Amino acid sequence: MPMDDPGALTWSSFISSWRLELGWLLVGLLLAFGYCVLLFRGRSTVHPWRAVSFVLGCVVLWVCVASGIGAYAMDVFWMHMILHLLLIMVVPILLVLGHPITVVLESLPAGRQTRARRFLTSRPIGLFTLPTTGLAVYTLVIVATHLTGFMDQMVMHPWLMTGEQVLYVAAGYLFFLPLLGEEPLRSDPGYLLRLVLFLIGMLPDTVVGIVLLQTDRDPFPMMMSHHPSWAPDPLTDIHTAGGLMWAGGDGLMMFAAVGLMISVVVSPAKRDRMAGSWLDGVRRTVIASEVGADPARQLDPDSDEAYEAYNRMLQRLASDDRHPKSP
C-alpha cells in the first residue's frame, strides 16, 4: 500500500509513528467547531458533559487514524482490529452522547425547529433510525468486512480503507443512536428493550471473533502476503485479532450497557420509561382496572390517591379469600 513503513512494531516506534492525516484532522475540527458554534448560538439545553463527549469523540476519531494504531493497521491484523473497535464503538458512543441532533435543532429559529422536528419524526427517517435498522446495519458491516474478501480488496484498492473507516463510524452511530441517545426521534424504545438490543449486538462481535479465533487457514492471503518480515505469522495474527474482536467487542458493548443501566437507576424519569411506551400502557391499563383509576391518567405511586386505591384493591382481594365463590 502507498504509505510509509513505520518499521518494526515497538513501543518507541508506536509512539513516534504519528502522522498528520490532514483529511481526518479537518473533519474532526469542522465537526467539533460546528458543534460548539451551534451549541452557544442556540443556548442549548444540552449538558456541558455531553459537549465534552462530542468533542472528545472528534479527537479520538483523528487519534485512531493518525497515531500508531492507524500507522500499523495494515502491517498487523490485530492492530487493524483495534482500529475497527475504536471506530465502530468508542467514537460513535462519544458522538451519540453529545446529542448533536438536539444541538442542531435548538440552534434553529422556532419556525424551522417545528419543521425539523416533523422531518425527524417522519416515517422514512423513523424507519432509518429504528433500533432494528441500526442493529442490522451494524451486523452487516461487521460480518461483511471480516468474513469476506474485503480485506484483500482493500490491499489492492487503498482508497477502500478510508471508505471502511467512514462506514464503521456511520454504522456505529446508527446502532448506538436509539440505544444511548435521547434525541427527538420517532423511535423512543424503552430502556429494557435497549438493554436487550445491547445483548443482541454482542452476537456479531462474538461470532466473527470465534470464527477468526478458530480458523485453521489464512482468510486474507493478499493482505497477509504484504505483511512485513517482523510481523507474526498470518494465523497467529488472525487468531489474536479474533480474540480481540470477541473479548474487546463484547467488553465494550457490556460497558455501554452497564452505563445505560446506571443512568436508568439514578434517574426517576428513566425508570418510569423502563418498559417502553407500549408495555407501560399495558401496565397502566392493568393497574387501572384493578384499582378503579382512569387508565389515561398515570397515578403518582407515592400519592395518597394511589395508596387509597391500592388499599381498596387489597381489601377486595381479602374479601374474596374469606368468601370464595361457589363453583
Side-chain angles (χ1 to χ4, degrees):
M1 294 184 67
M3 59 176 59
D4 296 333
D5 183 6
L9 178 57
T10 63
W11 282 111
S12 176
S13 63
F14 179 81
I15 294 173
S16 61
S17 59
W18 283 76
R19 302 168 297 178
L20 181 61
E21 291 293 344
L22 183 60
W24 283 110
L25 178 61
L26 291 176
V27 168
L29 288 175
L30 286 174
L31 286 175
F33 179 75
Y35 178 94
C36 292
V37 169
L38 295 178
L39 184 73
F40 291 111
R41 189 179 73 177
R43 296 181 180 179
S44 178
T45 59
V46 170
H47 197 279
W49 75 262
R50 293 192 179 277
V52 172
S53 175
F54 187 89
V55 173
L56 182 59
C58 296
V59 173
V60 174
L61 174 61
W62 176 73
V63 168
C64 287
V65 295
S67 67
I69 298 173
Y72 282 98
M74 292 306 295
D75 288 328
V76 282
F77 188 54
W78 63 263
M79 188 69 79
H80 199 89
M81 191 64 74
I82 291 176
L83 179 65
H84 282 184
L85 292 174
L86 289 171
L87 290 178
I88 202 168
M89 300 187 77
V90 177
V91 171
I93 287 174
L94 291 172
L95 296 179
V96 166
L97 291 177
H99 284 184
I101 297 175
T102 299
V103 170
V104 172
L105 275 177
E106 293 180 342
S107 69
L108 298 174
R112 292 185 179 180
Q113 276 194 37
T114 302
R115 291 194 294 271
R117 290 180 187 277
R118 283 201 298 265
F119 173 75
L120 289 172
T121 56
S122 64
R123 187 176 296 276
I125 300 301
L127 291 173
F128 188 70
T129 55
L130 277 173
T132 49
T133 302
L135 176 62
V137 172
Y138 179 87
T139 301
L140 179 63
V141 169
I142 290 289
V143 173
T145 55
H146 292 98
L147 300 184
T148 67
F150 179 83
M151 294 296 172
D152 285 345
Q153 292 296 318
M154 195 165 56
V155 173
M156 295 183 288
H157 307 287
W159 60 268
L160 281 176
M161 186 169 185
T162 301
E164 177 199 48
Q165 293 165 350
V166 173
L167 182 63
Y168 268 59
V169 175
Y173 186 88
L174 194 61
F175 174 69
F176 290 109
L177 176 61
L179 303 186
L180 292 177
E182 303 291 345
E183 304 274 36
L185 301 174
R186 184 186 183 95
S187 176
D188 185 22
Y191 291 97
L192 182 60
L193 176 58
R194 298 187 192 201
L195 292 171
V196 171
L197 289 170
F198 267 119
L199 295 177
I200 298 175
M202 296 169 66
L203 291 177
D205 299 321
T206 301
V207 171
V208 170
I210 291 176
V211 169
L212 294 177
L213 189 60
Q214 295 186 343
T215 185
D216 57 358
R217 65 178 184 84
D218 179 5
F220 316 118
M222 182 67 69
M223 181 181 184
M224 293 304 170
S225 68
H226 286 70
H227 263 31
S229 58
W230 53 261
D233 67 87
L235 279 182
T236 299
D237 194 7
I238 291 169
H239 291 165
T240 304
L244 283 171
M245 169 62 83
W246 185 6
D250 287 359
L252 288 170
M253 196 73 76
M254 185 60 68
F255 181 80
V258 169
L260 176 64
M261 192 68 242
I262 292 174
S263 72
V264 172
V265 170
V266 301
S267 171
K270 289 184 178 181
R271 290 201 301 270
D272 290 341
R273 295 170 50 208
M274 186 66 184
S277 58
W278 181 78
L279 287 176
D280 194 55
V282 173
R283 178 181 64 85
R284 288 200 305 269
T285 301
V286 172
I287 292 176
S289 65
E290 290 290 339
V291 301
D294 182 2
R297 181 171 58 88
Q298 187 172 1
L299 287 174
D300 181 357
D302 296 324
S303 67
D304 292 338
E305 182 183 5
Y307 282 128
E308 292 174 2
Y310 283 125
N311 287 332
R312 290 196 302 271
M313 181 185 69
L314 292 174
Q315 291 172 2
R316 178 176 59 80
L317 293 175
S319 176
D320 291 343
D321 289 338
R322 289 194 300 269
H323 306 286
K325 295 180 179 180
S326 301

